[in-house]
Amino acid sequence: MQKKSIVKLEAVNKNYQLGQTSISALKSVNLEIHGGEFTAVVGASGSGKSTLLNIIGCIDVPDSGVVLIDGVDISKMSDNQQSDLRNQKIGYIFQSFNLVPVLSVYENVELPLLINHEVSEQERARRVKEAILEVGLEPFSKNRPDQLSGGQRQRVAIARALAGHPLLVLADEPTANLDSENSGKIIELMLSLNKNKNVTFLFSTHDEKLVSRVSRVVHIKDGAVQT
Ligand code: ADP
Ligand code: MG
């Protein structure tokens, strides 16, 4: 069976203007991601990884080119439609975890679901508990982020992404702030979620060590995706 295309980029360009100079962050990028894939975007610092993930995650917009998410051209959507798409179809994991310090693990995972009007209160509670269980943080539900290790904090961020039952999880250098032991554990967790729960991951890294664990690697250099 043909796998479902969930992301398709065609000739995507993105420039940043810095005073008189224009930086070409993405150069005519073509990329397709299918449901169930586990893909690493690998490139040096400054190569355009975050720009690419931010455009796919509707956090940033391209200057030209086409971005299809779940078959829909996002440039034709209003800002509200784009926010809904981001909230309902995309899970985002950041390098620096981006947890809310005053909220518990449970509340952090719950937060994005509070603005998703398609999820009832009962369903919300079920999903939050399930996601926390999946990342192995059940005993820490009531703890605050500052009571957890870096690896545990990144697990909270993964649970938060999973609770929305997203079509795609984007992870921008999710292991960059972790030691090698915790990096390995986070990658293993993402791989097992991919294998056992069919969660589609697109993650970026500059760590070549991680590449051996991944079935599909997309190399990016100076804003160009190498084919
Ligand atoms: P990576 O995530 O691979 O380190 P980025 O996507 O962050 O790369 O950056 C790609 C290029 O675009 C770099 O040269 C960076 O300096 C530039 N860039 C990224 N964001 C901005 C911005 N907001 N303003 C100006 N230049 C930017
Ligand atoms: Mg980056």
Side-chain angles (χ1 to χ4, degrees):
M1 200 181 76
Q2 181 76 28
K3 286 212 167 155
K4 192 179 172 201
S5 173
I6 57 175
V7 174
K8 193 165 187 196
L9 272 61
E10 290 168 5
V12 167
N13 288 291
K14 178 73 183 179
N15 299 301
Y16 290 110
Q17 205 62 38
L18 269 183
Q20 296 292 316
T21 33
S22 174
I23 296 166
S24 190
L26 292 180
K27 295 171 187 155
S28 197
V29 169
N30 298 311
L31 180 68
E32 186 163 25
I33 304 288
H34 293 95
E37 284 184 345
F38 191 99
T39 308
V41 177
V42 181
S45 180
S47 58
K49 302 182 298 295
S50 295
T51 305
L52 178 66
L53 265 57
N54 289 344
I55 285 174
I56 294 171
C58 306
I59 293 174
D60 208 345
V61 286
D63 294 327
S64 63
V66 178
V67 180
L68 303 176
I69 306 287
D70 206 13
V72 181
D73 183 348
I74 59 173
S75 71
K76 303 218 160 62
M77 290 181 169
S78 67
D79 285 353
N80 279 340
Q81 283 172 323
Q82 282 196 20
S83 317
D84 284 349
L85 175 99
R86 189 166 57 226
N87 188 247
Q88 289 164 15
K89 296 196 173 168
I90 312 248
Y92 218 114
I93 300 166
F94 302 90
Q95 176 178 331
S96 51
F97 322 135
N98 288 17
L99 303 176
V100 182
V102 295
L103 298 182
S104 68
V105 167
Y106 186 99
E107 290 163 338
N108 267 284
V109 175
E110 184 184 39
L111 197 58
L113 287 178
L114 292 172
I115 51 168
N116 186 335
H117 304 299
E118 295 191 350
V119 178
S120 69
E121 199 178 329
Q122 205 179 12
E123 170 67 4
R124 188 165 74 225
R126 199 189 63 73
R127 286 195 193 185
V128 173
K129 286 184 195 135
E130 184 184 49
I132 291 173
L133 191 68
E134 275 169 357
V135 300
L137 283 181
E138 233 188 346
F140 301 94
S141 276
K142 293 196 170 77
N143 288 84
R144 284 207 324 249
D146 63 4
Q147 299 168 310
L148 305 176
S149 71
Q152 288 171 328
R153 287 183 208 184
Q154 197 56 302
R155 283 169 190 270
V156 179
I158 293 173
R160 180 178 57 188
L162 294 175
H165 290 183
L167 191 67
L168 171 69
V169 176
L170 297 169
D172 194 7
E173 301 207 40
T175 63
N177 286 3
L178 301 176
D179 58 41
S180 63
E181 189 190 335
N182 276 306
S183 292
K185 285 184 181 164
I186 289 296
I187 294 296
E188 293 306 324
L189 173 63
M190 297 197 320
L191 280 164
S192 87
L193 290 163
N194 172 256
K195 192 160 165 267
N196 302 321
K197 302 267 167 179
N198 205 34
V199 179
T200 309
F201 279 96
L202 178 63
F203 83 98
S204 73
T205 182
H206 64 254
D207 186 350
E208 290 284 347
K209 281 200 305 290
L210 298 176
V211 169
S212 62
R213 304 287 301 127
V214 180
S215 53
R216 182 177 175 204
V217 178
V218 171
H219 290 279
I220 184 167
K221 192 179 173 197
D222 299 332
V225 165
Q226 324 269 293
T227 47

